[in-house]
Amino acid sequence: LTPSVRDEYLAMGIPCEKVRIIPNGVNNRIFKNKDHKKTQGIRKDYGVPDDAKIILTVGRYHPKKGFDLIPAIADILKERGVKFVWLVVGKNTSKIKGKHPDCEKNNVVFVEKFSGDNAEDKFMLPTSGLIDIYNAADLFALPTLIETFGMVLVEAMAAGLPIVTTDALGVRDVINDGVNGVKVPTNDVESFANAIVRIFTDEALTATLSANAKREAEEKYDWAVVTKQYSDYYNYI
C-alpha cells in the first residue's frame, strides 16, 4: 500500500523486485454531488450552530487511532474561542465518552449510526450517509498514532477537506505537509489544536489544501488509476 509497508516486507527479506506499491482507491465521482439541503440537515441533526465549523474524524475506535486525544484537543479549541462541533464517526467511538464523560460539553459528538444510507450501500464504502457527512464537514482531523494506509484520509481528500493529522507511519506516505494537509507530531494535542486554528483562520491555506487534496485524490487514488496499476502488474508478472 505504501513505502512504509514495503519497508516492512524488505526487512523480512522479501526481494525488492517482488514488491510493487499499489495504494487503495477511492471513487471520486461519488463525492462530487454536494447537496446544500443535506448539509443543512446534517448540521441540524447534530446541533451545529450556523456560525460553527464541523470537524470530522472517521474510523473505528482503537487505541492506535489516537481518538482518546480528541477531548483534550477539543478543550484547547474551546478555550481559544473556536466555534465548532467535532463529529467522531465510527464503530465503538462512544467508548471515548466513557473515558472522558465531560467531552460532550466541549462539543464532541460520537456517531456510530447515521441516517441517509441507501439499500445499495452494502456494495459501497463509504456509504451514502457517510459521504453526506464528509461533504458537510469543514475540516478532517485524524490524530492517529500509526496507520497501514489511512483510507479515511483519501476519502477526506476526495471530499476536498483540509486535513490535520500526524506524522505517523502510514500517514506520512499519504499526506504531504503544507500541500494536501497539515501534519503535527503524534501525541501532541497543543500542536494539533494549533493546526486546526491555523486552518480555520487562514482562508488561503484552506483553499490550497482543499484544491491540492482533490487533485491528488483524482490523479493518484481514483479507482480508474488504481485498477490500471493492478492490471499492469498482473500483465508484468
Side-chain angles (χ1 to χ4, degrees):
L1 294 174
T2 66
S4 295
V5 177
R6 176 197 59 196
D7 292 345
E8 293 298 320
Y9 281 116
L10 298 182
M12 294 167 60
I14 304 299
C16 182
E17 64 272 14
K18 290 194 174 185
V19 180
R20 178 77 62 93
I21 297 175
I22 302 177
N24 279 331
V26 65
N27 184 350
N28 284 276
R29 177 183 55 81
I30 61 179
F31 287 91
K32 293 184 182 297
N33 299 321
K34 295 193 177 186
D35 187 318
H36 178 72
K37 288 182 65 177
K38 287 183 177 179
T39 294
Q40 290 304 110
I42 287 168
R43 294 181 70 89
K44 181 179 179 181
D45 288 345
Y46 298 113
V48 184
D50 291 340
D51 60 346
K53 302 283 191 181
I54 295 178
I55 301 172
L56 175 63
T57 298
V58 177
R60 64 185 176 89
Y61 175 73
H62 188 284
K64 74 174 185 177
K65 296 289 184 180
F67 290 3
D68 288 314
L69 301 174
I70 290 175
I73 300 169
D75 282 346
I76 297 171
L77 294 176
K78 191 170 182 180
E79 288 173 0
R80 295 185 184 178
V82 179
K83 295 181 178 180
F84 70 95
V85 171
W86 194 324
L87 302 182
V88 186
V89 180
K91 185 178 180 180
N92 294 327
T93 52
S94 60
K95 288 184 176 181
I96 302 169
K97 183 168 58 176
K99 296 180 178 181
H100 307 273
D102 292 335
C103 63
E104 287 190 323
K105 296 179 182 178
N106 289 335
N107 306 326
V108 180
V109 178
F110 301 99
V111 185
E112 294 190 4
K113 296 181 180 180
F114 41 85
S115 60
D117 287 349
N118 297 320
E120 297 82 6
D121 283 345
K122 60 184 177 181
F123 301 111
M124 182 177 76
L125 289 174
T127 63
S128 56
L130 181 52
I131 291 167
D132 291 339
I133 294 176
Y134 271 115
N135 284 336
D138 297 288
L139 180 146
F140 188 80
L142 187 67
T144 187
L145 307 180
I146 189 171
E147 294 286 332
T148 305
F149 177 74
M151 190 63 222
V152 293
L153 293 170
V154 177
E155 292 171 356
M157 289 165 60
L161 292 176
I163 294 169
V164 177
T165 186
T166 62
D167 188 31
L169 282 175
V171 173
R172 63 185 60 158
D173 301 315
V174 178
I175 299 299
N176 186 0
D177 187 45
V179 178
N180 62 348
V182 174
K183 292 187 295 187
V184 302
T186 57
N187 281 309
D188 190 336
V189 296
E190 190 79 25
S191 293
F192 206 99
N194 288 341
I196 292 175
V197 172
R198 179 184 171 200
I199 289 175
F200 283 165
T201 56
D202 189 335
E203 293 183 2
L205 175 62
T206 298
T208 297
L209 296 176
S210 176
N212 289 341
K214 289 178 69 174
R215 182 172 60 252
E216 188 163 335
E218 292 178 354
E219 294 178 354
K220 188 174 181 180
Y221 298 109
D222 191 80
W223 271 120
V225 176
V226 173
T227 53
K228 185 177 187 306
Q229 292 180 58
Y230 273 108
S231 63
D232 287 348
Y233 191 53
Y234 278 120
N235 288 329
Y236 167 76
I237 59 176

